[in-house]
Coordinates of all heavy atoms in Angstrom, one line a residue:
K961 N 0.9 -1.2 0.0 CA 0.0 0.1 0.0 C 0.9 1.3 0.0 O 0.6 2.2 -0.7 CB -0.9 0.0 1.2 CG -2.0 -0.9 1.1 CD -3.0 -0.8 2.3 CE -4.2 -1.7 2.2 NZ -5.0 -1.6 3.4
E962 N 1.9 1.3 0.9 CA 2.8 2.3 0.8 C 3.5 2.6 -0.5 O 3.9 3.7 -0.8 CB 3.8 2.2 2.0 CG 3.4 2.2 3.4 CD 4.4 1.8 4.5 OE1 5.5 1.6 4.1 OE2 4.0 1.8 5.6
A963 N 3.8 1.5 -1.3 CA 4.4 1.6 -2.5 C 3.5 1.9 -3.7 O 4.0 2.0 -4.8 CB 5.1 0.2 -2.8
G964 N 2.2 2.1 -3.3 CA 1.3 2.6 -4.2 C 0.6 1.5 -5.1 O 0.0 1.8 -6.1
Y965 N 0.6 0.2 -4.6 CA 0.0 -0.8 -5.3 C -1.5 -1.0 -4.9 O -1.9 -0.5 -3.9 CB 0.7 -2.1 -5.0 CG 2.0 -2.4 -5.8 CD1 3.1 -1.5 -5.7 CD2 2.1 -3.5 -6.6 CE1 4.2 -1.7 -6.4 CE2 3.3 -3.6 -7.3 CZ 4.3 -2.8 -7.3 OH 5.5 -3.0 -8.0
S966 N -2.3 -1.6 -5.8 CA -3.8 -1.7 -5.6 C -4.1 -3.1 -5.3 O -5.3 -3.5 -5.1 CB -4.4 -1.2 -6.8 OG -4.2 0.1 -7.1
G967 N -3.1 -4.1 -5.3 CA -3.4 -5.4 -5.0 C -2.2 -6.4 -5.1 O -1.2 -6.0 -5.7
I968 N -2.4 -7.5 -4.6 CA -1.5 -8.6 -4.7 C -2.1 -10.0 -5.1 O -3.1 -10.3 -4.7 CB -0.7 -8.8 -3.3 CG1 0.1 -7.6 -2.9 CG2 0.1 -10.1 -3.2 CD1 0.7 -7.7 -1.6
V969 N -1.3 -10.8 -5.9 CA -1.6 -12.1 -6.1 C -0.7 -13.0 -5.2 O 0.6 -12.9 -5.4 CB -1.5 -12.6 -7.6 CG1 -1.9 -14.1 -7.7 CG2 -2.2 -11.7 -8.4
V970 N -1.2 -13.7 -4.3 CA -0.4 -14.6 -3.4 C -0.1 -15.8 -4.1 O -0.9 -16.6 -4.5 CB -1.1 -14.9 -2.0 CG1 -0.2 -15.7 -1.1 CG2 -1.6 -13.6 -1.4
T971 N 1.2 -16.1 -4.2 CA 1.7 -17.3 -5.1 C 2.6 -18.2 -4.3 O 3.8 -18.2 -4.6 CB 2.4 -16.9 -6.4 OG1 3.4 -16.0 -6.1 CG2 1.3 -16.2 -7.4
E972 N 2.2 -18.8 -3.2 CA 3.0 -19.5 -2.3 C 3.5 -20.8 -3.1 O 3.0 -21.3 -4.0 CB 2.3 -20.1 -1.2 CG 1.7 -19.0 -0.2 CD 2.8 -18.3 0.6 OE1 3.9 -18.2 0.3 OE2 2.3 -17.7 1.7
H973 N 4.7 -21.3 -2.7 CA 5.3 -22.4 -3.3 C 4.5 -23.7 -3.0 O 4.3 -24.0 -1.8 CB 6.7 -22.7 -2.8 CG 7.7 -21.7 -3.3 ND1 8.2 -21.6 -4.5 CD2 8.4 -20.7 -2.6 CE1 9.0 -20.6 -4.7 NE2 9.1 -20.1 -3.5
Y974 N 4.0 -24.3 -4.0 CA 3.4 -25.6 -4.0 C 4.4 -26.6 -4.4 O 4.5 -26.9 -5.6 CB 2.1 -25.6 -4.8 CG 1.2 -26.9 -4.6 CD1 0.0 -26.9 -3.9 CD2 1.6 -28.2 -5.1 CE1 -0.8 -28.0 -3.7 CE2 0.8 -29.2 -4.9 CZ -0.4 -29.2 -4.3 OH -1.2 -30.3 -4.1
S975 N 5.3 -27.1 -3.5 CA 6.4 -27.9 -3.8 C 6.7 -28.8 -2.7 O 6.3 -28.6 -1.6 CB 7.6 -27.0 -4.1 OG 8.1 -26.3 -3.0
P976 N 7.6 -29.8 -3.0 CA 8.0 -30.7 -1.8 C 8.5 -30.0 -0.7 O 8.4 -30.4 0.5 CB 9.1 -31.6 -2.5 CG 8.7 -31.6 -3.9 CD 8.2 -30.2 -4.3
L977 N 9.2 -28.8 -0.8 CA 9.8 -28.1 0.4 C 8.7 -27.5 1.3 O 9.0 -27.3 2.4 CB 10.7 -27.0 -0.1 CG 12.1 -27.4 -0.7 CD1 12.8 -26.3 -1.2 CD2 12.9 -28.2 0.3
T978 N 7.5 -27.2 0.7 CA 6.4 -26.7 1.4 C 5.8 -27.7 2.4 O 5.3 -27.3 3.5 CB 5.4 -26.0 0.5 OG1 6.0 -25.0 -0.2 CG2 4.2 -25.5 1.3
F979 N 5.8 -28.9 1.9 CA 5.0 -30.0 2.6 C 6.0 -30.9 3.2 O 7.1 -31.2 2.6 CB 4.1 -30.7 1.6 CG 3.0 -29.8 1.0 CD1 3.3 -29.4 -0.3 CD2 2.0 -29.5 1.7 CE1 2.4 -28.6 -0.9 CE2 1.0 -28.6 1.1 CZ 1.3 -28.2 -0.2
T980 N 5.8 -31.4 4.4 CA 6.8 -32.2 5.2 C 6.1 -33.6 5.5 O 4.9 -33.7 5.5 CB 7.2 -31.6 6.5 OG1 6.0 -31.2 7.3 CG2 7.9 -30.3 6.1
G981 N 7.0 -34.5 5.7 CA 6.5 -35.9 6.1 C 5.5 -36.4 5.0 O 5.8 -36.4 3.9
M982 N 4.5 -37.2 5.5 CA 3.6 -37.8 4.7 C 2.8 -36.8 3.7 O 2.3 -37.2 2.7 CB 2.5 -38.7 5.4 CG 3.0 -39.8 6.0 SD 3.6 -41.0 4.7 CE 2.1 -41.5 3.9
S983 N 2.8 -35.5 4.1 CA 2.1 -34.5 3.3 C 2.9 -34.3 1.9 O 2.4 -33.7 1.0 CB 2.1 -33.2 4.0 OG 1.2 -33.4 5.2
R984 N 4.2 -34.8 1.8 CA 4.8 -34.6 0.6 C 4.1 -35.5 -0.5 O 4.1 -35.2 -1.7 CB 6.2 -35.1 0.6 CG 7.1 -34.0 1.4 CD 8.6 -34.3 1.3 NE 9.3 -33.3 2.0 CZ 10.6 -33.2 1.9 NH1 11.3 -33.9 1.0 NH2 11.2 -32.2 2.5
V985 N 3.5 -36.6 0.0 CA 2.7 -37.5 -0.8 C 1.2 -37.1 -0.9 O 0.6 -37.2 -1.9 CB 2.9 -39.0 -0.5 CG1 2.1 -39.9 -1.3 CG2 4.4 -39.3 -0.4
F986 N 0.7 -36.7 0.2 CA -0.7 -36.3 0.4 C -0.8 -34.9 0.9 O -1.2 -34.6 1.9 CB -1.4 -37.2 1.3 CG -1.3 -38.7 0.9 CD1 -0.6 -39.5 1.6 CD2 -2.1 -39.2 -0.1 CE1 -0.5 -40.9 1.3 CE2 -2.1 -40.5 -0.5 CZ -1.2 -41.4 0.3
P987 N -0.4 -33.9 0.0 CA -0.4 -32.5 0.4 C -1.8 -32.0 0.7 O -1.9 -31.0 1.5 CB 0.2 -31.7 -0.8 CG 0.0 -32.6 -1.9 CD 0.1 -34.1 -1.4
Q988 N -2.8 -32.6 0.2 CA -4.2 -32.2 0.5 C -4.5 -32.3 2.0 O -5.4 -31.6 2.4 CB -5.2 -33.0 -0.3 CG -5.2 -34.5 -0.2 CD -4.3 -35.2 -1.1 OE1 -3.2 -34.7 -1.4 NE2 -4.7 -36.4 -1.6
K989 N -3.8 -33.1 2.8 CA -3.9 -33.2 4.2 C -3.5 -31.9 4.9 O -3.8 -31.6 6.0 CB -3.2 -34.4 4.8 CG -3.8 -35.8 4.4 CD -3.1 -36.9 5.0 CE -3.7 -38.3 4.5 NZ -3.0 -39.4 5.1
K990 N -2.6 -31.1 4.2 CA -2.1 -29.9 4.8 C -2.6 -28.7 3.9 O -2.0 -27.6 3.9 CB -0.6 -29.9 4.8 CG -0.1 -30.8 5.9 CD 1.4 -30.6 6.0 CE 1.8 -29.1 6.6 NZ 3.2 -29.0 6.8
I991 N -3.8 -28.9 3.2 CA -4.2 -27.8 2.3 C -4.7 -26.6 3.1 O -4.6 -25.4 2.6 CB -5.4 -28.3 1.3 CG1 -5.4 -27.4 0.2 CG2 -6.7 -28.5 2.1 CD1 -4.3 -27.4 -0.7
D992 N -5.2 -26.8 4.4 CA -5.5 -25.6 5.2 C -4.3 -24.8 5.5 O -4.4 -23.6 5.5 CB -6.2 -26.0 6.4 CG -7.7 -26.5 6.2 OD1 -8.2 -26.1 5.3 OD2 -8.1 -27.3 7.1
F993 N -3.1 -25.5 5.7 CA -1.9 -24.8 5.9 C -1.6 -24.0 4.6 O -1.1 -22.8 4.7 CB -0.8 -25.8 6.3 CG 0.6 -25.2 6.1 CD1 1.0 -24.3 7.1 CD2 1.3 -25.6 5.1 CE1 2.3 -23.8 6.9 CE2 2.7 -25.1 5.0 CZ 3.2 -24.2 5.8
Y994 N -1.7 -24.7 3.5 CA -1.2 -24.1 2.3 C -2.0 -22.7 1.9 O -1.5 -21.8 1.5 CB -1.3 -25.0 1.0 CG -0.8 -24.4 -0.3 CD1 0.6 -24.2 -0.5 CD2 -1.7 -23.9 -1.2 CE1 1.0 -23.6 -1.6 CE2 -1.2 -23.3 -2.3 CZ 0.1 -23.2 -2.5 OH 0.6 -22.6 -3.7
L995 N -3.3 -22.7 2.3 CA -4.2 -21.7 2.0 C -4.2 -20.5 3.1 O -4.8 -19.5 3.0 CB -5.7 -22.1 1.8 CG -5.9 -23.1 0.7 CD1 -7.3 -23.6 0.8 CD2 -5.7 -22.4 -0.6
S996 N -3.5 -20.9 4.2 CA -3.6 -20.0 5.4 C -3.1 -18.6 5.2 O -3.7 -17.6 5.6 CB -2.9 -20.6 6.6 OG -1.4 -20.8 6.3
S997 N -2.1 -18.5 4.4 CA -1.5 -17.0 4.2 C -2.5 -16.3 3.3 O -2.6 -15.1 3.5 CB -0.2 -17.2 3.5 OG -0.2 -17.8 2.3
Y998 N -3.1 -16.9 2.3 CA -4.0 -16.2 1.4 C -5.2 -15.7 2.3 O -5.6 -14.5 2.2 CB -4.5 -17.1 0.4 CG -5.8 -16.6 -0.3 CD1 -5.8 -15.4 -1.1 CD2 -7.0 -17.2 -0.1 CE1 -6.9 -15.0 -1.8 CE2 -8.2 -16.9 -0.7 CZ -8.1 -15.7 -1.5 OH -9.3 -15.3 -2.1
Y999 N -5.7 -16.6 3.2 CA -6.9 -16.1 4.0 C -6.4 -15.1 4.9 O -7.2 -14.1 5.4 CB -7.6 -17.4 4.6 CG -8.4 -18.1 3.6 CD1 -8.1 -19.5 3.3 CD2 -9.4 -17.4 2.9 CE1 -8.8 -20.1 2.4 CE2 -10.2 -18.3 2.0 CZ -9.9 -19.6 1.7 OH -10.6 -20.3 0.8
E1000 N -5.2 -15.2 5.5 CA -4.7 -14.2 6.4 C -4.6 -12.8 5.7 O -5.0 -11.9 6.3 CB -3.3 -14.6 7.0 CG -2.7 -13.6 8.0 CD -3.5 -13.4 9.2 OE1 -4.3 -14.3 9.6 OE2 -3.4 -12.4 9.9
M1001 N -4.0 -12.9 4.5 CA -3.9 -11.6 3.9 C -5.1 -11.0 3.4 O -5.4 -9.8 3.3 CB -3.0 -11.8 2.6 CG -2.5 -10.5 2.0 SD -1.4 -10.7 0.6 CE 0.1 -11.2 1.3
K1002 N -6.1 -11.9 3.2 CA -7.5 -11.5 2.7 C -8.1 -10.6 3.8 O -9.0 -9.8 3.5 CB -8.3 -12.7 2.5 CG -9.5 -12.4 1.6 CD -9.2 -12.3 0.2 CE -10.5 -12.3 -0.7 NZ -10.3 -11.8 -2.1
K1003 N -7.7 -10.8 5.1 CA -8.3 -10.0 6.3 C -8.0 -8.6 6.0 O -8.8 -7.7 6.5 CB -7.7 -10.5 7.5 CG -8.1 -11.9 8.0 CD -7.5 -12.2 9.3 CE -7.6 -13.6 9.6 NZ -6.9 -14.0 10.9
Y1004 N -6.9 -8.2 5.4 CA -6.5 -6.8 5.2 C -6.9 -6.2 3.8 O -6.4 -5.1 3.5 CB -5.0 -6.7 5.4 CG -4.6 -7.4 6.8 CD1 -4.0 -8.7 6.7 CD2 -5.1 -6.9 8.0 CE1 -3.7 -9.4 7.8 CE2 -4.7 -7.6 9.2 CZ -4.0 -8.9 9.1 OH -3.8 -9.6 10.2
E1005 N -7.7 -6.9 3.1 CA -8.2 -6.4 1.9 C -9.0 -5.3 2.1 O -9.9 -5.3 3.0 CB -8.9 -7.5 1.1 CG -9.3 -7.2 -0.3 CD -10.0 -8.4 -1.1 OE1 -10.9 -9.0 -0.5 OE2 -9.5 -8.8 -2.2
T1006 N -9.1 -4.3 1.3 CA -10.0 -3.1 1.4 C -10.5 -2.8 0.0 O -10.2 -3.5 -1.0 CB -9.2 -1.9 1.8 OG1 -8.2 -1.5 0.9 CG2 -8.5 -2.1 3.2

């Protein structure tokens, strides 16, 4: 906002490094974690 932008596309890494343990095979088990930053940032949308 300070830099004069009007919005952001959140593009987190969907990769083996993001998911740990069994979630590397079944990342859908951690999908709430993967989406958490988007929903957190969405709180500050105006």
Side-chain angles (χ1 to χ4, degrees):
K961 284 182 177 179
E962 291 174 5
Y965 279 61
S966 301
I968 290 177
V969 183
V970 183
T971 55
E972 302 283 23
H973 291 291
Y974 188 108
S975 71
L977 289 176
T978 300
F979 302 100
T980 58
M982 285 298 291
S983 293
R984 290 192 178 194
V985 180
F986 302 106
Q988 60 269 36
K989 293 183 178 181
K990 287 188 67 177
I991 201 65
D992 285 336
F993 163 73
Y994 183 76
L995 296 173
S996 62
S997 61
Y998 163 70
Y999 286 120
E1000 178 65 20
M1001 193 177 289
K1002 200 77 170 164
K1003 294 177 183 178
Y1004 310 106
E1005 185 176 52
T1006 65

